[in-house]
Amino acid sequence: INDHSARVLDIERYGGGANQRFDIILVPNTGPSAIGWWWYYGVSAGDLLQQARRHGARLVDIEPPQDGASNYAGLMIDNGMVKNGDCGGAFASVDERIINWMKRYDVPGAQAAIVKGDNLVYSCAFGYADIKTGREVKPTDLFRIASIAKPITSAEIRRLEADSVLSRSDKMLDRLGQFKPDEPYEDDRLDDITIQHLLDHKGGWNWGALGFDPMFYTDTISTALDTNRPSTCTQNIRYMFQNVDLSFAPGGGIDDKDYSNFGYCILGRIIHAQGGQTYESYVKQKVLDPIRITNMKIGKSLASGRFPNEVQYYDLPFASDVNSVFDGEPEKVQRPDGGFYLEAMDAHGGWIGSAMDIARFARFANPEPYGAGGNWSHQGGLTGTSTIVTRSGDEVIAIFFNHQNRATGDDLAALANGARDSVSRWPAVDHWGKYGYGPRRAR
């Protein structure tokens, strides 16, 4: 079927077991999607329906259970993708690129927003927030933003510096306040780590050399500290300071595995200690509220904790359950639904928000997360989540997916940059007011 760039018009099955065979009739596939058909067998009727929604497909043939079995076989073809919001028109090429990406990587739902100048010129939602219920994604729905939380944390550190509360050259241990663990520490070089080192992923932790990422090591840390599962960010700091050597001297580095979620966990506690309120509350007050971003919050790990306008998150189709990081029920979960402790990741990966929220943050945050200049990009990824925001001058594009696909970070950057660059005509529109964003407050 792929060799002929075709789609199936009709299919007949005969025989059974090892002797099962199919006759098919093909016609040219003239639709925009590079992948236009899917075939499932041995699945329940409910799974068949959910996979059709996941692919934005329709069933063209279905075979009922045989010989007393309870499972079905079904053939699907591309049926486009449901969309909501301000889509198409001058941004039809953006729609097409995102839909093709979703078809290629089995992504159930997505959002995209583009800001040009001060205006929100594009906000489109694609596919399904929940493939079980058929709830479609809306432009205001909330997604986990994963590591795009790091620019938010960086902006708040710069706000504290602008307000003369701290300096980025300050030593980490001098600013941790009540979150500073008791000594002795395993490595004396902790004394040398500055706030700037943490921002730059140069604090001294290399997850390749360590063999683990502390923020996903909750069972081991909880056992070592004899605390309840899962371990918090504060408990992770205590464990790491008291038990683990640095991988390299602060300010140095080994390789690209220096990227440190743990360093931003520490920055979140510095913000709490120096701001006098929780990390989440302080960021909302000082960074998000002034630019009228009011719906963002720290998400919840378990599916039972989803907010009413939050999407569901999806692993690979038919992925096996994993052990929950929480004690009690449920003991087994899909990995996005309790296989890691999202609340402990607040400052490096715990926020939820819409693509519009993050596009607005990237355009108007004061201070900017990476200083003046206006050109930066950041990606995020967790099982069930893939995100990117890219700013080039006064143009910003943010794209969110509720599935982490098999593509590389370079592929995702190419998608975002290609989508933005494909716009040949910028319409004179501004949709901020339509979605409830008020005027920005002066500082």
Side-chain angles (χ1 to χ4, degrees):
I1 297 174
N2 281 340
D3 287 345
H4 293 284
S5 298
R7 61 183 175 90
V8 174
L9 182 67
D10 196 15
I11 184 168
E12 294 287 340
R13 179 171 67 173
Y14 56 93
N19 296 318
Q20 186 172 234
R21 295 292 184 271
F22 300 88
D23 290 333
I24 58 176
I25 298 174
L26 307 177
V27 295
N29 184 24
T30 57
S33 178
I35 297 178
W37 66 278
W38 298 265
W39 168 247
Y40 288 94
Y41 59 91
V43 297
S44 68
D47 283 339
L48 205 58
L49 174 60
Q50 289 185 45
Q51 292 311 309
R53 288 172 175 160
R54 181 166 189 148
H55 296 302
R58 61 186 172 93
L59 283 161
V60 294
D61 195 30
I62 186 170
E63 294 288 343
Q66 296 179 351
D67 303 324
S70 60
N71 294 326
Y72 291 78
L75 182 75
M76 307 171 190
I77 63 170
D78 186 1
N79 197 39
M81 187 67 72
V82 296
K83 296 187 292 184
N84 290 282
D86 296 289
C87 315
F91 301 95
S93 61
V94 179
D95 290 4
E96 181 178 342
R97 287 167 185 262
I98 292 172
I99 290 171
N100 284 347
W101 180 275
M102 295 173 70
K103 299 285 186 180
R104 181 179 181 185
Y105 292 112
D106 303 340
V107 180
Q111 276 181 345
I114 298 177
V115 175
K116 173 67 172 176
D118 287 351
N119 296 342
L120 176 68
V121 295
Y122 174 82
S123 182
C124 188
F126 305 82
Y128 293 91
D130 188 332
I131 58 176
K132 184 175 182 179
T133 65
R135 181 169 70 88
E136 298 175 4
V137 181
K138 300 297 192 295
T140 54
D141 281 350
L142 304 177
F143 283 64
R144 290 174 178 171
I145 70 172
S147 283
I148 295 177
K150 292 182 176 72
I152 295 173
T153 298
S154 176
E156 182 49 45
I157 290 291
R158 288 175 177 272
R159 169 49 50 201
L160 288 166
E161 185 173 49
D163 291 342
S164 300
V165 176
L166 55 72
S167 170
R168 283 174 287 155
S169 62
D170 290 346
K171 297 298 178 62
M172 168 191 74
L173 293 178
D174 293 338
R175 292 300 188 179
L176 264 171
Q178 67 268 38
F179 300 103
K180 180 181 176 181
D182 293 335
E183 299 188 51
Y185 299 150
E186 184 69 17
D187 196 317
D188 292 339
R189 294 175 295 178
L190 290 171
D191 291 330
D192 301 326
I193 299 173
T194 67
I195 292 174
Q196 188 66 59
H197 289 152
L198 299 178
L199 289 168
D200 295 339
H201 303 278
K202 295 298 182 182
W205 297 279
N206 176 284
W207 62 264
L210 292 173
F212 65 95
D213 183 333
M215 304 311 296
F216 294 89
Y217 207 52
T218 182
D219 282 1
T220 298
I221 292 176
S222 297
T223 300
L225 298 181
D226 193 24
T227 56
N228 293 332
R229 300 169 64 240
S231 61
T232 65
C233 173
T234 303
Q235 290 164 344
N236 294 348
I237 293 172
R238 174 185 161 196
Y239 173 82
M240 292 295 292
F241 284 16
Q242 295 177 347
N243 296 279
V244 179
D245 284 316
L246 295 178
S247 307
F248 57 86
I254 299 175
D255 53 34
D256 60 358
K257 294 183 177 63
D258 297 340
Y259 184 89
S260 179
N261 291 315
F262 178 62
Y264 274 75
C265 155
I266 298 171
L267 288 169
R269 288 346 92 198
I270 290 174
I271 291 170
H272 185 159
Q274 300 305 312
Q277 54 185 302
T278 67
Y279 163 80
E280 179 183 12
S281 296
Y282 202 70
V283 169
K284 284 182 176 180
Q285 176 185 336
K286 296 293 186 176
V287 171
L288 301 180
D289 285 351
I291 53 176
R292 298 302 181 104
I293 296 174
T294 59
N295 293 319
M296 289 184 63
K297 54 183 70 73
I298 302 300
K300 305 294 183 182
S301 302
L302 296 171
S304 59
R306 298 281 187 275
F307 292 91
N309 59 334
E310 184 180 2
V311 301
Q312 300 294 327
Y313 305 99
Y314 294 94
D315 203 341
L316 295 172
F318 309 109
S320 299
D321 286 349
V322 300
N323 293 326
S324 172
V325 298
F326 294 87
D327 292 322
E329 298 293 337
E331 294 183 359
K332 293 285 187 177
V333 295
Q334 284 283 284
R335 182 162 171 76
D337 301 330
F340 47 82
Y341 189 27
L342 188 73
E343 290 89 332
M345 303 177 186
D346 53 2
H348 73 80
W351 288 95
I352 60 174
S354 69
M356 289 187 292
D357 288 333
I358 295 305
R360 189 173 178 90
F361 166 79
R363 178 67 183 92
F364 300 123
N366 180 20
E368 294 182 12
Y370 302 111
N375 294 293
W376 59 274
S377 179
H378 212 290
Q379 299 182 27
L382 291 165
T383 305
T385 308
S386 186
T387 60
I388 185 169
V389 59
T390 296
R391 176 174 173 180
S392 179
D394 68 349
E395 296 176 6
V396 177
I397 183 168
I399 306 175
F400 293 175
F401 300 112
N402 62 351
H403 168 60
Q404 186 180 32
N405 53 59
R406 301 177 295 276
T408 68
D410 289 343
D411 293 333
L412 192 58
L415 170 67
N417 292 329
R420 185 193 63 227
D421 295 343
S422 71
V423 180
S424 59
R425 178 178 63 86
W426 295 98
V429 295
D430 185 5
H431 301 302
W432 288 126
K434 176 179 179 179
Y435 294 106
Y437 295 90
R440 303 188 301 279
R441 298 186 183 120
R443 272 204 172 274

